[in-house]
Amino acid sequence: MAVLGVSHVAVGVADMDRALAFYRDLVGLQVDLDIEEAGFGRNRDQRRRAVYLRSPDEAGPHRSFIVLDQQLTREPFGTPPRLFQLGTHHFSFWVDDLEARLQRIVDAGFSVIVPPSVADAAAYGEEKGSGKYLTAIVRDADGNPVQFDQKL
C-alpha cells in the first residue's frame, strides 16, 4: 500500500466570485467543474456551490485539486486559520514566478503575511545545503493563509 499524493484541499469560502478572483485569476488555477450540489452530509437539505480547480500544468491520474466550497443554505461561520495554530493552518503552491505573482496579488489588494524570503532545502525535506527556495505567504479573499514556493 502506498500514498500516491495529496488528493485535494477543500476551502470554505463566503463569496465564490471573490474567491475565484483570487484562486483562478491571480493564482492561476483552472476551473474543471463549477456545480451546485445538494443532499450531502447529515443534512440532506444542505446545498453548496463547489468549484474544482487544478493546475493547468499538472498531469497524471493522481493530480491534486482544490475545492472551493460556498454553502448556499446557511451563512458562513468560523474564522480563518492563523499560521501555526493546531490543525491545518495553511497550504502551498509550487510556482515558477513567485515575485511577479506576489506583485499581482498585492496589486489586487490582498495582504502579505510573510514577505518573500529564502529558505534552505532542508525546510522542504531535502538535504541541508542542497538548494534554496523562495517562499511567501498571503491571505486569500476570506483571510486564509496561502503560501507560494519557488525552487531557485
Side-chain angles (χ1 to χ4, degrees), residues 2-117:
V3 173
L4 303 174
V6 174
S7 169
H8 69 280
V9 174
V11 180
V13 302
D15 180 301
M16 187 62 74
D17 294 328
R18 191 177 68 180
L20 285 170
F22 180 82
Y23 287 99
R24 181 193 58 213
D25 303 341
L26 296 171
V27 174
L29 297 175
Q30 173 183 310
V31 173
D32 277 357
L33 180 64
D34 185 341
I35 189 169
E36 186 174 315
E37 299 175 327
F40 58 91
R42 292 181 182 160
N43 181 353
R44 295 294 173 195
D45 296 329
Q46 190 172 337
R47 290 183 11 258
R48 73 175 186 165
R49 179 179 175 194
V51 177
Y52 295 73
L53 303 114
R54 298 180 193 270
S55 167
D57 297 325
E58 192 177 355
H62 303 293
R63 296 185 327 157
S64 57
F65 59 98
I66 300 275
V67 179
L68 301 179
D69 179 332
Q70 180 183 2
Q71 295 297 303
L72 301 175
T73 51
R74 65 177 179 203
E75 290 297 315
F77 63 93
T79 59
R82 292 176 33 197
L83 279 178
F84 310 118
Q85 74 178 38
L86 289 177
T88 304
H89 54 77
H90 77 281
F91 54 92
S92 187
F93 295 100
W94 288 114
V95 297
D96 60 2
D97 60 349
L98 188 142
E99 290 177 331
R101 184 179 307 269
L102 187 63
Q103 189 59 56
R104 285 193 310 271
I105 289 169
V106 168
D107 290 347
F110 294 93
S111 62
V112 175
I113 52 178
V114 176
S117 59

